[in-house]
Amino acid sequence: MKGTLTFLARATTPADRLVLIAVWGGMILLGIQAFARPPGEEAVVRVRGEAVKRLALDRPRKVTIRGALGPTELQIRDGAIRFRHAPCQRKRCLGRGWLAQAGETAACVPNRVLVRVGGEQGKPWHAVSY
Amino acid sequence: MIRFSAPPSEKAYRLVLPIVALALGACQDQVEVHNERAFVMGTLVEISATGVGAEPFREAAGAAFLEMRSLHDALTPLDGESELVRFNARGHGRWVALEGPLTELVPRALSVQRASDNAFNPHLGRLVALWGFREPPFPGRPPPEKAIRGLLEAGASQPALALRREGSLEGRLEHPGATLDLGGIAKGFAVDRAVAALREHGVDNALVNAGGDMRALGRRGERPWRIGIRHPRREHHVIATVELRNGEAMVTSGDYERFFRAEGKRFHHLLDPTTGRPARRAQQASVLGPRATESDAWSTALFSKGSQGLEALGPGLPGLVIDTSGKAHASPTMRRRLHWRSEEILAP
């Protein structure tokens, strides 16, 4: 690290360093913007791989899904969804917490229940004909 | 003040250039999309565009909305001053000059009526009014059988509009049961006019979406505009997607838009011209085409005919029908265009 800094100090002028700082700073900002996930709009619940429910995240409620072991309770609040109760032993799904961003996923593997949040960015269409 | 002993060296440029190239590559997929929305023609119209500045786009969208509003004023059956109402008031049994947009739209409507063997009928005005589907709230029960029969006997559903050119274009309603009602084609026509207005204002990449009737111009950045087709029984679900080519339109007609339930049945606004009652061969029909006007009229005709109507569309108008049992049927050209998503409705 120290060697690299010494090399950079010798190999570049102050103007070079200013340009490098500006470019790298811009890159970091771009990266943050590119990887920030948009808020989710709905969650798709799958049991044994099959989509069983699509839940809009715009109103608070609790939904019970029947999985391989028994009922799993999901809670929706403030545009987010989480596992609230599950019949599995380790309760790892409950520890996953709230999912609110498009693309976020949580699963209760023993109960074969998977929840994935989808949103505008995740949709493969720009408008719906109806 | 910072003083530099030398300008940035070649080494620095060598370090920076790949980074800039990478950044530009990463930005390729980020498309700036402008959106404008307005309530026009009894529905929410959304215009989206790319590759144009915010201000020119706002101006273009404003012109498009203005055009659509003026069409609404001319074609609404609810305003006594509209060109359509004026024609209906005078056009029974005598030749009356068509005015404004009627001069272009009526011949196109009659052309689809003929080609669809009257499955699309642009003069069901009295029947539509009898059923009460013009404006919500819709009635909770169907009209008396006697009233429906009376209108059918008065020629409500038969081809009843004649045209001639005597200097100007003139029309004549030949049966007392028929009045012009362009509800099955006017929205598509307005979408086409909106697209023309956008083009005139230099917008080459846009999507006009008038309550689900849409037409695309160009592309959305590097990719085509992609349209989802809704599930006929699940409002927020999409059964398939289609990529629209430059200038292409997609219109869907469904029994879920304007309806009421009575006697355990769904009564919707898409009337079958042969029966004077809601058509019972489909839940939904979608048509792709080079213009929204004809796609709109054909989607109504296809809904009325059900899957049997797919053949009449021809290869230039790909069609998709979800029949009353929820089964999907599509013309070969539509099958090639669909990206099927639904697990509940099997791909055609």
Side-chain angles (χ1 to χ4, degrees), chain B residues 3-347:
Chain B
R3 295 189 65 181
F4 300 114
S5 55
S9 68
E10 199 182 318
K11 276 181 200 164
Y13 285 123
R14 278 188 200 154
L15 275 167
V16 165
L17 280 175
I19 298 164
V20 172
L22 263 175
L24 287 173
C27 288
Q28 229 176 17
D29 226 27
Q30 306 276 322
V31 183
E32 192 185 5
V33 182
H34 303 290
N35 292 293
E36 287 286 333
R37 297 175 186 86
F39 281 98
V40 198
M41 305 206 72
T43 192
L44 177 67
V45 178
E46 181 168 12
I47 301 177
S48 310
T50 64
V52 62
E55 199 44 50
F57 169 65
R58 241 194 312 276
E59 203 175 301
F65 290 137
L66 204 65
E67 180 70 25
M68 293 177 100
R69 279 202 183 94
S70 107
L71 286 172
H72 173 264
D73 292 345
L75 302 174
T76 177
L78 300 170
D79 178 353
E81 293 303 305
S82 78
E83 274 97 331
L84 182 127
V85 171
R86 283 209 301 266
F87 174 78
N88 281 336
R90 298 185 294 132
H92 279 104
R94 60 178 170 164
W95 293 104
V96 172
L98 295 175
E99 300 173 285
L102 291 178
T103 55
E104 184 186 343
L105 188 52
V106 169
R108 289 172 74 176
L110 290 186
S111 165
V112 179
Q113 182 182 22
R114 278 191 296 272
S116 69
D117 201 14
N118 198 36
F120 170 73
N121 182 318
H123 43 72
L124 293 178
R126 291 194 64 188
L127 272 170
V128 174
L130 177 68
W131 278 89
F133 282 122
R134 281 206 167 132
E135 261 194 321
F138 307 125
R141 57 183 181 183
E145 280 295 311
K146 201 178 158 189
I148 299 172
R149 270 202 309 273
L151 280 179
L152 290 175
E153 281 161 16
S157 61
Q158 297 161 25
L161 184 59
L163 293 183
R164 74 172 186 187
R165 192 169 285 282
E166 286 283 317
S168 63
L169 187 66
E170 295 178 334
R172 185 175 71 186
L173 287 163
E174 298 185 325
H175 301 299
T179 53
L180 200 55
D181 185 317
L182 298 167
I185 194 169
K187 207 156 64 163
F189 187 61
V191 167
D192 284 341
R193 285 289 189 86
V195 163
L198 292 174
R199 271 186 178 140
E200 278 167 23
H201 281 76
V203 176
D204 298 322
N205 299 283
L207 184 73
V208 177
N209 177 1
D213 294 6
M214 51 193 83
R215 189 167 169 198
L217 268 182
R219 297 161 78 83
R220 187 185 188 274
E222 294 297 310
R223 294 178 175 173
W225 294 96
R226 258 171 296 160
I227 305 306
I229 301 170
R230 82 156 260 186
H231 189 298
R233 292 291 175 264
R234 293 169 181 250
E235 190 179 353
H236 299 295
H237 290 221
V238 161
I239 55 173
T241 60
V242 174
E243 291 186 345
L244 292 186
R245 296 168 185 157
N246 184 20
E248 204 170 38
M250 158 72 100
V251 179
T252 297
S253 295
D255 63 6
Y256 40 77
E257 275 294 285
R258 293 173 174 218
F259 73 98
F260 60 84
R261 287 180 191 282
E263 304 153 10
K265 280 200 277 190
R266 179 189 289 252
F267 292 90
H268 57 80
H269 74 296
L270 297 162
L271 301 181
D272 181 343
T274 56
T275 64
R277 294 167 179 82
R280 298 286 181 207
R281 295 189 189 92
Q283 294 177 354
Q284 182 178 301
S286 304
V287 174
L288 270 172
R291 284 175 296 273
T293 308
E294 278 74 16
S295 296
D296 195 2
W298 273 108
S299 75
T300 309
L302 185 58
F303 183 94
S304 188
K305 284 192 162 190
S307 57
Q308 291 175 351
L310 285 168
E311 221 167 280
L313 291 173
L317 295 168
L320 168 71
V321 174
I322 310 298
D323 70 19
T324 47
S325 66
K327 194 175 169 203
H329 308 261
S331 56
T333 43
M334 179 63 106
R335 240 178 268 143
R336 287 196 285 275
R337 303 284 303 276
L338 290 172
H339 300 270
W340 203 259
R341 291 175 52 86
S342 178
E343 293 165 9
E344 195 183 333
I345 298 176
L346 293 179

Side-chain angles (χ1 to χ4, degrees), chain A residues 71-88:
Chain A
T72 284
E73 189 178 273
L74 302 169
Q75 184 181 12
I76 297 166
R77 199 177 69 198
D78 300 331
I81 186 167
R82 68 164 178 169
F83 281 89
R84 191 162 181 272
H85 289 301
C88 53

